[in-house]
Amino acid sequence: LMASSIDDKTEVRDYFNTEGFNRWNKIYSESDEVNSVQLDIRTGHDQTIQKILNWVEADGNIKGKTVCDCGCGVGSLAIPLAQMGAKINASDISDSMAGEAARRAKELGIRNAKFYTSDLESVKGKYNTVTCVDVAIHYPSDKMGEMIQHLCGLADDRLIISFAPKTWYYVFLKKIGELFPGPSKTTRAYLHEESFVRDQLKAAGFEIAREEMTATNFYFSRLLEAKRIK
Ligand code: SAM
């Protein structure tokens, strides 16, 4: 069990430092060097990010608040949150991803965001908001509970987390995908039982405040905002 989760992590890190970086850096940009599947994923991911930004905007109080973005990728969420005045602590297991996020932020003249390389298990501190978007897909089910507990421990006020829900339809799609993996190497993908995620949040003393679901043809992501019960 232990060995397999270490392998998972090493595999994810290596992938996002090499081929995965090239692939996802293109998806998470305006580059037109993407195929139709990648374009569909870009659209879905953009929608998830926009939904979070809409929540934050509706609250209207992010300025000066601390946000810890775990598995920040190239900064798709962290950068706009920084532009809205939040103090950002953003990290990613991949040096290439965190480096690209830092580069993009610098190019935009952002000074209230720090980007660094770290797996999320090693992230420390206390933040008003913790975000972890589309990262759980890389977590095997037996590691998911621990991961959620750790993220909740970092969050004073709320956790915003997304994951691919384990429904019969997505399990079916994933099987099809595994039968026809295509030319590009990817990592294993894990779907999660929504009831399990909700139970874990509840056990950590959080309650769901808002929720969203985003689904395109090849992208699906359940988004939850959980607030600490005070
Ligand atoms: N959250 C970003 C976004 O929504 O734009 C990136 C999403 S991308 C699909 C998944 C990211 O999670 C990758 O950048 C990957 O390197 C990172 N990741 C995977 N496992 C991680 C871990 N254990 N700790 C930190 N980052 C991790």
Side-chain angles (χ1 to χ4, degrees):
L1 222 69
M2 200 62 193
S4 102
S5 61
I6 289 171
D7 289 351
D8 262 311
K9 214 161 156 175
T10 305
E11 189 181 290
V12 167
R13 183 187 290 114
D14 290 349
Y15 172 72
F16 280 105
N17 270 324
T18 55
E19 286 166 85
F21 172 70
N22 294 324
R23 177 170 194 260
W24 289 94
N25 188 32
K26 265 186 249 157
I27 294 175
Y28 296 153
S29 72
E30 260 128 55
S31 161
D32 51 22
E33 294 165 53
V34 287
N35 62 37
S36 57
V37 174
Q38 292 169 333
L39 193 60
D40 177 87
I41 294 170
R42 177 190 289 169
T43 304
H45 176 260
D46 281 348
Q47 289 174 13
T48 293
I49 297 295
Q50 198 51 55
K51 286 170 182 175
I52 299 171
L53 295 176
N54 290 348
W55 286 348
V56 169
E57 199 146 283
D59 292 342
N61 59 356
I62 200 71
K63 200 161 191 280
K65 294 271 171 61
T66 53
V67 174
C68 178
D69 187 27
C70 292
C72 64
V74 298
S76 308
L77 176 63
I79 289 174
L81 287 178
Q83 289 171 321
M84 292 165 88
K87 291 183 204 155
I88 308 289
N89 178 300
S91 57
D92 197 282
I93 196 170
S94 154
D95 205 31
S96 306
M97 296 296 261
E100 172 63 12
R103 191 197 65 75
R104 290 186 185 195
K106 191 172 177 207
E107 197 172 81
L108 293 165
I110 289 167
R111 308 192 61 167
N112 48 325
K114 171 179 137 187
F115 295 94
Y116 60 103
T117 309
S118 173
D119 62 344
L120 69 84
E121 291 76 10
S122 310
V123 172
K124 294 197 171 57
K126 286 281 181 195
Y127 309 87
N128 296 121
T129 295
V130 173
T131 56
C132 188
V133 178
D134 296 355
V135 178
I137 188 109
H138 305 298
Y139 275 71
S141 317
D142 66 322
K143 285 270 145 191
M144 187 64 177
E146 249 175 87
M147 182 237 204
I148 295 171
Q149 293 309 316
H150 179 65
L151 293 173
C152 286
L154 298 170
D156 271 337
D157 302 334
R158 66 171 165 184
L159 169 65
I160 294 175
I161 185 169
S162 74
F163 58 96
K166 190 168 187 175
T167 64
W168 70 265
Y169 179 65
Y170 293 136
V171 169
F172 167 77
L173 274 190
K174 189 163 124 42
K175 289 238 166 69
I176 303 277
E178 281 160 3
L179 287 175
F180 307 100
S184 66
K185 180 187 169 291
T186 55
T187 55
R188 274 166 280 191
Y190 299 96
L191 309 177
H192 298 284
E193 294 285 355
E194 184 164 342
S195 58
F196 177 79
V197 174
R198 286 176 181 268
D199 288 348
Q200 285 291 325
L201 292 167
K202 199 173 173 189
F206 285 65
E207 65 188 359
I208 305 299
R210 288 181 282 205
E211 57 190 88
E212 280 284 358
M213 177 70 205
T214 303
T216 60
N217 290 324
F218 301 100
Y219 173 94
F220 35 98
S221 185
R222 163 66 90 202
L223 178 65
L224 299 177
E225 178 194 54
K227 287 195 172 156
R228 183 180 287 284
I229 301 167
K230 298 205 167 157

